[in-house]
Amino acid sequence: MKSHKLSILLVSGLAIAAAAACGTDDSGNSGDKASAAPGSAGPVSISVNCEPPKTNKAERATFEEDLAAFQKLNPNIKVSKVTDAFPCYDPRTFEPKLASGELETVFYVNFPNVGRLIESGQAADLTPYVNELKTFADYNSSIDLFKKDGKIYGLPTDGYGMGLVYNKEVFTKAGLDPNNPPKTWADVQAAAKKIAGLGPGYVGYGEYSGNNVGGWHFTASIYGRGGSVITDDGKKAAFNTPEGTAVLENLHQMRWADNSMGSQLYIDWPALMKAMAGGKMGMMLGAPDVLISLRNDFGGKFENYAITAQPEAKALFNGGAGYMINPKATPEQIRAGLKWIEYKFLTPGKGQFDYARAKGANLTVGQPYPDLYGSDTPSGQAVNDLRKANANIDASQFAGWVEGSKGIPPKAEPGPYAQEIYKILDTPMSAVLTRKDANIDQLLSDAESKVNSLLASKG
């Protein structure tokens, strides 16, 4: 989930975009199929998504400011439709638009979906165009996720590994040392019991259980324990193992023996975030951007939160997001879309890297991400210099995660059908949190059979 911003400049340029955002483009097509003919130097029309919601005033303002500045800088590019969304990937809206071919010209994609969109031909081949981007050569290995068979199908704009997010104030109330967060799962379990012991409403540890995010967190957890979700060749399930059992047993123990997880189910991504921001939850798995979203999107008291390394992690789930372009786009629309991505997300001093503006808008500056460029590249050095010069947060809130995650290898999503696998894995996650008599061996075995059938059906 990303940052964005505003200004008064927009009034004219944005009025057009905002009006169009609620409906269709001039051609009547939400996907901007009508635009300049291939090879023409005339005006081109594109649509974009992932504008921050109205409730996130500061980031929405910067997004709109960037949109106006971009169009002023590129008068031949008309951003005719802007869609806001929160979160930027919501399967309830994304999947129907994907199925009907109505995704925007430039659309947000989280890492779990990248592989399947490439496999299914639902992202444009950007290979002939990417070298026109000034910063492309400086990308770190995060770009590899968007490559297949030597071609490039998207651009990462964010990336990070998982960690353990915790509430320092709740730790202190429970008699725990917020400067010495849990380093093992036994530590997590002990800390969760103390937090839950504070009284009604307090939850020691929160976890997802549905809408694909349950399976997503199961994957992050089993990766941390050294396991996998599918085999290296992608043809079989690989989670019915001691590592998979340990993930579920740990949750079952905390939920039913320790009573440290509360009774509420957190099915959607916002549900757990809202609970964490409420100030009575002690810990959850999450990436470092969780701290920013707790502050900007859920009203959490930012200074109360910190992130440390995922306990006992042997591998870190490689999370993040980027942008792809609708395969129906013309070459001119692809070039225009790439220009928007470059301006908004990739240029030091502009868009998400305009740290001076972010600081002035009371947005956080100094968090150790996004990490897009090699540290010794011109773009990497420029971003780091700007970040340090404008930092307005206590870097110690992220220090445990930065130091503790060093040397832990990243591990990618479980193949192009990750979302379908996550949906299957929601079931065992939900079961151990709702049924005291949950049979973990049977749950894993059933899920294994379903994933094997899924993978077999895909060939």
Side-chain angles (χ1 to χ4, degrees):
M1 317 302 125
K2 297 276 74 189
S3 306
H4 319 274
K5 310 174 181 177
L6 175 133
S7 134
I8 301 175
L9 286 181
L10 305 217
V11 178
S12 59
L14 267 214
I16 297 170
C22 300
T24 57
D25 64 18
D26 294 340
S27 70
N29 295 315
S30 60
D32 293 286
K33 299 184 185 90
S35 70
S40 167
V44 60
S45 174
I46 62 172
S47 54
V48 303
N49 71 1
C50 198
E51 180 177 24
K54 293 178 181 177
T55 52
N56 188 342
K57 295 180 180 178
E59 291 195 358
R60 188 178 178 96
T62 58
F63 183 96
E64 294 181 345
E65 182 177 309
D66 287 339
L67 192 59
F70 172 74
Q71 291 183 111
K72 185 176 182 181
L73 190 65
N74 299 278
N76 282 342
I77 300 176
K78 177 184 179 184
V79 181
S80 60
K81 179 171 182 280
V82 182
T83 306
D84 62 7
F86 182 74
C88 287
Y89 171 73
D90 184 339
R92 292 169 297 188
T93 53
F94 181 89
E95 299 301 336
K97 291 172 74 174
L98 179 68
S100 63
E102 294 300 317
L103 277 176
E104 292 77 6
T105 313
V106 182
F107 62 89
Y108 172 96
V109 59
N110 56 4
F111 283 180
N113 284 304
V114 170
R116 74 173 175 118
L117 294 183
I118 295 175
E119 289 282 342
S120 59
Q122 290 171 303
D125 177 8
L126 308 180
T127 314
Y129 313 97
V130 291
N131 286 323
E132 297 173 13
L133 304 176
K134 294 177 182 176
T135 60
F136 183 75
D138 294 341
Y139 258 118
N140 58 26
S141 60
S142 61
I143 188 66
D144 293 344
L145 189 70
F146 289 83
K147 294 180 178 177
K148 182 174 174 57
D149 298 331
K151 295 182 178 180
I152 298 162
Y153 293 91
L155 297 171
T157 56
D158 200 358
Y160 36 72
M162 280 288 190
L164 182 73
V165 176
Y166 64 102
N167 186 318
K168 296 188 295 181
E169 184 178 63
V170 170
F171 265 52
T172 300
K173 285 181 180 177
L176 300 164
D177 181 1
N179 296 314
N180 186 28
K183 294 180 175 58
T184 68
W185 282 108
D187 292 343
V188 170
Q189 184 180 347
K193 286 177 70 173
K194 286 191 175 181
I195 292 166
L198 288 172
Y202 280 92
V203 173
Y205 183 80
E207 187 52 282
Y208 290 116
S209 60
N211 207 15
N212 298 12
V213 286
W216 171 48
H217 265 207
F218 175 87
T219 301
S221 297
I222 195 173
Y223 281 7
R225 290 176 183 271
S228 295
V229 168
I230 59 174
T231 54
D232 290 345
D233 63 8
K235 294 183 177 179
K236 293 284 185 179
F239 53 79
N240 190 4
T241 60
E243 291 84 6
T245 300
V247 172
L248 297 182
E249 284 184 340
N250 182 60
L251 292 174
H252 191 267
Q253 173 74 20
M254 287 197 289
R255 170 67 181 91
W256 298 106
D258 301 345
N259 292 315
S260 62
M261 297 187 69
S263 58
Q264 183 175 343
L265 285 181
Y266 305 107
I267 294 174
D268 295 320
W269 178 80
L272 183 58
M273 294 291 291
K274 184 177 180 181
M276 191 69 182
K280 286 191 171 183
M281 180 176 284
M283 297 170 283
M284 61 177 282
L285 280 184
D289 69 332
V290 163
L291 270 63
I292 309 304
S293 192
L294 287 172
R295 172 191 188 267
N296 294 343
D297 300 311
F298 296 95
K301 198 172 181 181
F302 179 71
E303 57 269 30
N304 283 353
Y305 297 94
I307 181 169
T308 190
Q310 186 170 332
E312 306 176 58
K314 297 179 176 66
L316 290 181
F317 185 96
N318 191 11
Y323 283 81
M324 291 176 144
I325 293 183
N326 194 313
K328 297 179 180 177
T330 66
E332 288 72 26
Q333 286 178 307
I334 292 175
R335 283 195 168 89
L338 289 176
K339 278 182 176 289
W340 164 247
I341 297 170
E342 180 179 40
Y343 184 88
K344 177 60 184 167
F345 301 105
L346 305 180
T347 303
K350 300 291 184 185
Q352 72 167 342
F353 292 132
D354 188 345
Y355 290 127
R357 179 184 63 178
K359 184 179 181 179
N362 195 32
L363 292 168
T364 59
V365 180
Q367 54 271 31
Y369 72 89
D371 182 18
L372 300 179
Y373 302 121
S375 60
D376 57 349
T377 64
S379 300
Q381 291 170 354
V383 168
N384 286 332
D385 289 346
L386 289 167
R387 186 179 285 160
K388 289 178 182 176
N390 294 285
N392 61 0
I393 64 165
D394 180 1
S396 69
Q397 289 174 261
F398 297 87
W401 176 78
V402 172
E403 291 302 315
S405 300
K406 286 181 178 176
I408 303 175
K411 193 174 176 72
E413 304 281 345
Y417 313 112
Q419 289 296 328
E420 292 162 85
I421 293 172
Y422 294 161
K423 185 176 181 63
I424 292 171
L425 292 172
D426 280 346
T427 298
M429 290 289 279
S430 175
V432 297
L433 296 175
T434 56
R435 289 162 36 196
K436 190 174 183 178
D437 63 349
N439 184 329
I440 290 174
D441 290 341
Q442 189 64 54
L443 288 165
L444 286 173
S445 179
D446 291 346
E448 179 183 39
S449 296
K450 292 178 180 177
V451 170
N452 283 338
S453 296
L454 168 72
L455 296 176
S457 71
K458 301 295 184 182

